[in-house]
């Protein structure tokens, strides 16, 4: 066992953060969880021994709180990110300015390792502000802390995810599970030249889901002394699923007979115009722009296996938590799967 480190984790109470904290304390490290609301993060305490996990109120939008959070740390991990803008929490402020603030503070404090969580598809030329600011955040972090390690995961799945759980919740009430596509429905001709309607097309955008435990393990290994620095990793599982495949999987695992139908992207744009007005938007127009491109690894950058992590399959994990959405589990699915206070 190497010497215990002090690791500051921004966003440590989030989906990926809680899995990372669990692994860090199991290794013997001390963990400082930097979050806006320390009381809501208290559920992490039982994961470690007495005093092993501490909490510090911090916002990546505030210089002083970030400086306090990284002071004396051996390593810093920034997992803070948003999927939709709300008030002062804009993509520019969180993904770019916030990431840069953490990197600058880490450099000034003499931190040895810095990990920045980005996203697969980060691209400064993207039409989507989300992807554009993720790329700009990477650049800002690299400028302030050249040795930073950057992770770009595809859709992350696990018991607390907002992906498979969302579609499973929709399947409880809706007789239809739609998938958005740019190639269907369309009029085509079969081998004999007869016209027919294609209701599948390419199945919609493709994803390469990666298990949250694998992402946490990859981060843990990137913090080891022998791990290379200044590397960008693309994280994806071994399976590539179209949006139609995802809906079929959800219908199967929830044991609900649902009609899986294609919807043109313009319909997604219309729906997003209204859904993005919700306090917690189910879909935004910026997200629709993301759906116009596949979310799979390029193969040009290292991935999980380069860190010694064998990808966990969707089939090994997803059924274990979607079971609660089956009709015989009504007493379970009425509970909020995201609550952590029990």
């Amino acid at each position: 066992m190497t010497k215990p480190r002090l690791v500051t984790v921004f966003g440590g109470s989030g989906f990926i953060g809680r899995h990372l904290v669990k692994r860090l304390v199991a290794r013997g490290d001390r963990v400082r969880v930097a979050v806006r609301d320390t009381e809501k993060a208290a559920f992490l305490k039982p994961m470690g021994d007495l005093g092993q996990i501490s909490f510090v109120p911090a916002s990546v939008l505030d210089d002083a709180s970030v400086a306090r959070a990284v002071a004396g740390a051996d390593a810093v991990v920034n997992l803070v990110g948003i999927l939709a803008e709300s008030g002062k929490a804009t993509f520019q402020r969180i993904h770019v300015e916030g990431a840069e603030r953490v990197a600058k503070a880490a450099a000034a404090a003499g931190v040895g390792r810095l990990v920045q969580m980005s996203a697969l598809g980060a691209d400064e030329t993207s039409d989507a502000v989300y992807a554009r600011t993720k790329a700009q955040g990477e650049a800002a972090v690299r400028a302030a802390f050249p040795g930073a390690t950057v992770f770009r995961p595809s859709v992350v799945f696990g018991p607390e995810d907002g992906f498979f759980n969302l579609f499973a919740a929709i399947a409880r009430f809706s007789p239809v599970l739609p998938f958005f596509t740019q190639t269907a429905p369309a009029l085509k001709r079969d081998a004999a030249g007869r016209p027919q309607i294609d209701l599948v097309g390419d199945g919609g955008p493709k994803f390469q889901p990666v298990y949250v435990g694998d992402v946490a393990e990859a981060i843990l290994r990137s913090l080891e002394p022998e791990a290379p620095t200044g590397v960008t990793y693309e994280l994806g599982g071994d399976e590539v699923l179209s949006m139609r495949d995802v809906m079929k999987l959800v219908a199967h695992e929830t044991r609900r007979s649902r009609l899986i139908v294609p919807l043109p992207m313009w319909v997604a744009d219309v729906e997003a115009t209204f859904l993005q007005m919700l306090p917690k938007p189910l879909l935004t127009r910026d997200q629709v722009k993301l759906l116009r491109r596949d979310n799979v690894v390029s193969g040009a950058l290292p991935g999980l296996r380069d860190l010694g992590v064998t990808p966990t399959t969707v089939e090994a994990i997803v059924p274990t938590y979607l079971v609660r959405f089956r009709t015989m589990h009504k007493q379970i699915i009425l509970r909020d799967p995201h609550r952590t206070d029990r």
Side-chain angles (χ1 to χ4, degrees), residues 18 59 64 178 184-185 233 284-286 328:
R18 66 190 67 187
S59 166
Y233 295 91
T284 69
R285 297 194 68 180
D286 197 66
M328 70 285 290

Side-chain angles (χ1 to χ4, degrees), residues 179 181 183-185 197-204 244 262:
F179 66 92
T181 176
T183 60
I197 297 178
D198 181 2
L199 293 178
V200 178
D202 60 3
R244 180 173 180 266

Side-chain angles (χ1 to χ4, degrees), residues 119-120 152-156 206-210 235-237 295-297:
L120 201 59
R152 296 176 177 176
S154 183
V155 171
V156 182
K206 294 177 174 57
F207 306 94
Q208 203 163 343
V210 58
L235 305 185
N295 195 249
V296 298
V297 302

Side-chain angles (χ1 to χ4, degrees), residues 118-191:
S118 184
L120 201 59
D123 182 356
E124 291 197 43
T125 66
S126 174
D127 292 334
V129 182
Y130 173 87
R132 207 160 58 238
T133 54
K134 280 291 189 180
Q136 291 168 352
E138 289 182 14
V141 168
R142 286 264 189 255
F145 200 114
T149 299
V150 174
F151 285 100
R152 296 176 177 176
S154 183
V155 171
V156 182
F157 69 90
E160 311 90 355
D161 72 45
F163 188 68
F164 287 105
N165 277 306
L166 171 62
F167 298 131
I170 292 173
R172 288 170 54 195
F173 304 106
S174 174
V176 174
L177 283 176
F179 66 92
F180 301 118
T181 176
Q182 302 181 78
T183 60
L187 183 63
K188 297 183 177 180
R189 294 187 180 277
D190 61 17

Side-chain angles (χ1 to χ4, degrees), residues 63-145:
D63 288 318
S65 67
V66 169
R68 286 194 297 270
V70 303
D74 298 296
V76 171
V77 179
N78 181 23
L79 301 175
V80 179
I82 56 175
L83 294 174
E85 297 181 316
S86 177
K88 293 182 179 180
T90 64
F91 290 136
Q92 175 66 28
R93 298 190 73 193
I94 300 295
H95 294 167
V96 184
E97 297 171 17
E100 181 180 35
R101 182 172 287 109
V102 171
K104 285 184 174 180
V111 171
R113 294 265 176 168
L114 171 66
V115 170
Q116 172 64 32
M117 183 59 67
S118 184
L120 201 59
D123 182 356
E124 291 197 43
T125 66
S126 174
D127 292 334
V129 182
Y130 173 87
R132 207 160 58 238
T133 54
K134 280 291 189 180
Q136 291 168 352
E138 289 182 14
V141 168
R142 286 264 189 255
F145 200 114

